[in-house]
Amino acid sequence: MLQSKELETRTGETPRETIERLNKRLRRAEMLLHVSQHVAGIDTLEGVLAAIVEMTTRETGADRGTLFLNDSETNELYSRIAQGIHSRELRVLNNSGIAGHAYTTGQGEIVHDAYADPRFNRAIDLKTGYVTRNILCAPIKTVNGVTIGVIQMLNKHEGEFTQADLEILEAMCTQAAVALQGRQAIETLQKSREKEKKFIDVVSGVTAEIDLSVLLKKVMSEATRMLNADRSTLFLNNEKTNELWSEVGEGLGKAKIQFPNHVGIAGAVFTSGQSINIPHAYADLRFNPAFDKKTGYFTRSILCVPVINKNGKIIGVTQALNKRGGPFTIEDEARLRAFTAQVSIALENAQLFNDVQNMRNYNESVLQSMSSGVITTNDEGKVVTCNVSGLKMFKVGAEEIIGKTIVDFFTGDNQWVADLVKHVSEKQTADVLMDAELKVSETKVSVNMTVLPLIGLKKEKLGTMLMIDDISSEKRVKATMAKYMDPYLADQLLTSGEVNLGGQSVNATVLFSDIRGFTTLTEELGAQGTVSLLNEYFTLMVDCIQQQGGTLDKFIGDAIMAVFGTPLPLENGEDKAVKAAINMLRELNEYNARRHSDGKKPIDMGIGLNTDSVVSGNIGSPKRMDYTIIGDGVNLASRLESACKQYAARILISDSTYKALKGTYRVRDIDRVVVKGKTEPAGVFEVLDYHTDQSFPNLMDVVNYFNEGIKLYRQQRWDDAVTRFRRALEANPSDRLSSIYIERCGIMKENPPEDGWNGVWVLESK
């Protein structure tokens, strides 16, 4: 009894209270020991989290709880919630909300009224329908006092959370911190090992690919997955054009993208060789938002690293966009750099293979398109390839020559070919035979044959190549004659053996063109310069004529005479003649641009077109004849070409050509004329389709005003006509034809025409 009195005096509490306090401490110690033992036996981080939350919720009398661990890489607090056999992860910034305050300060929090606390985020309650009344929150600290997370209890069942609850919560968390740290470290290690294993597997799978297009797709797919990005693109540098290009954009679909290798984020990385990690794209001045505006995509974050080969050369860049769950980290950058470094060799190999394939396809296409017969053999003398011309020349199928030896294929009268190939193979020097004779299906063919040795990079023998040209008399004569006359006439002459004098009447469209001021040009250029200019000019113009099916009749000094519709019929010949004229002027404009850049004077020309019945045939003598066309229709085309100068026009067509056109063109009716040597008037129209908006602004407005003016002019309403022509000039002050008609109206007004005048103008000059 005295001992009890003494104890009460010393501690200030009764023996019963002391016993209860000691029992409470014992139960607490047992509970904390149970916490340690329980979580120590759990293998997974998710299991430890769930166990701690369950025990702390029960001990504090809370309705529910959540344990958050800190992610030092992203500065986020994260927790995992079980969902069936899987779990989902919740993440919040480690400085936001009540949990963030507890983490950053390292101090526990008791919030009696959650909705009254400004740090509390009501959004989750609104979303879930749950009502949070009070909160108990404590930092999770290790024995060394390092905060690694927080635990949060919600809604105490009876009353409010107390300081004792906070002490119990903190004690339990401290007890479990060792297990949490251990499981977290193990999980991090396991994830790291899994990442490295996947990384090795990915690199192995990617580097085994040799097709560049497939490789690009694989690299971007794996980069997107590896970084948990929204999309990614690998750009390779084209050293010939100094452009970055890509065929594949992960998430974009297949597309060809190319741009200068110094432009944008990718260009900055390529030129500097330094990685760029942008957490907020629109806050960076180097980012160009034009692509986002065009596609509707919103770029948040960008990670771009250079692709460097084993020699330290930058061969491209990889760019990843919009990492899910936050910005790209330093680890992401390191992994992407390591990944691109590993695949750079495969990229170079694939690009080299792609170049080789393109060159092979190019060579194959050239080989198959050649008119010469081409045969290649391997070092054993077996035929490896024979192009289409070769098969036709020898009248065999591919199976009859491919795989056979030269000795087996060229036998009998053709054995000399096998001997020639053998000689070239032994000497490793090319040999040429001119006008040699081959026997093909009992027919003798004259050929030129070139045999070349095929040599590898290390000077090893690869085989031989035979190039065979058929130069039989017909082909030789035709090749020569075709340079001096229309190929159709050459064929006709070679087929029949002779061409008689005579002709036939045909309906055709005749085209005349002539260079303006040619005499002055010849004086400036001299003889050699004039010939050079004409050769360039005629090459361009004749191509335009022949592309539309026209036939070159002759060159008359600097003039060209062509016909559409003879010697062969030509459907829609009028339209094709007009298109040829339009293309001639367009080609001339481009030619003049090149001359201007070379410091040379531009040249100009006029074109006249007329559709009429002409006489087509061989004209001359039995000793010397010429295939040509004659008649009034030819003369009118020539007069219209000359009239271009008077009307400040470039293409003039007759009314017969205009009425025969089936296509739609930008044309204006400019006059009715009587050309020199004729009495009947002819309608004249100007074709303007060769113009651009820059060379003839407001073209259709001018055409409409002018057409109205020409009608009034023919009605002798001179003032009204002048008004329309002036409006045409307002639309295009450079329209000289409108100025010409304003002047003509003034003349006609002062000197009115005789009664019965129908608007005809007489051209005095040719």
Side-chain angles (χ1 to χ4, degrees), residues 191-237:
K191 285 184 176 180
S192 178
R193 290 179 60 185
E194 288 176 4
K195 283 183 179 180
E196 295 306 319
K197 184 177 181 302
K198 287 181 180 179
F199 183 81
I200 293 172
D201 292 342
V202 165
V203 170
S204 299
V206 168
T207 54
E209 183 57 57
I210 197 67
D211 185 286
L212 183 58
S213 181
V214 176
L215 178 60
L216 286 172
K217 188 174 182 180
K218 279 188 174 182
V219 170
M220 289 303 91
S221 177
E222 292 301 334
T224 302
R225 184 195 58 76
M226 182 174 65
L227 299 177
N228 196 25
D230 188 33
R231 60 179 61 172
S232 58
T233 309
L234 167 63
F235 295 102
L236 294 176
N237 183 50

Side-chain angles (χ1 to χ4, degrees), residues 724-744:
R724 298 302 190 279
F725 292 136
R726 290 192 188 283
R727 289 184 180 176
L729 274 177
E730 289 173 2
N732 180 9
S734 300
D735 183 35
R736 290 177 55 198
L737 187 57
S738 294
S739 299
I740 290 170
Y741 264 95
I742 291 172
E743 182 179 350
R744 188 185 288 187

Side-chain angles (χ1 to χ4, degrees), residues 70-77 91-96 103:
N70 182 56
D71 187 334
S72 58
E73 290 185 359
T74 63
N75 292 322
E76 292 175 317
L77 295 173
R91 283 181 174 265
V92 295
L93 292 175
N94 62 12
N95 60 0
S96 65
Y103 174 77

Side-chain angles (χ1 to χ4, degrees), residues 49 201 324-325 384 446 481 567 684 713:
L49 292 173
D201 292 342
R324 299 181 179 95
V384 178
S446 295
M481 293 178 64
V684 182
Y713 165 83

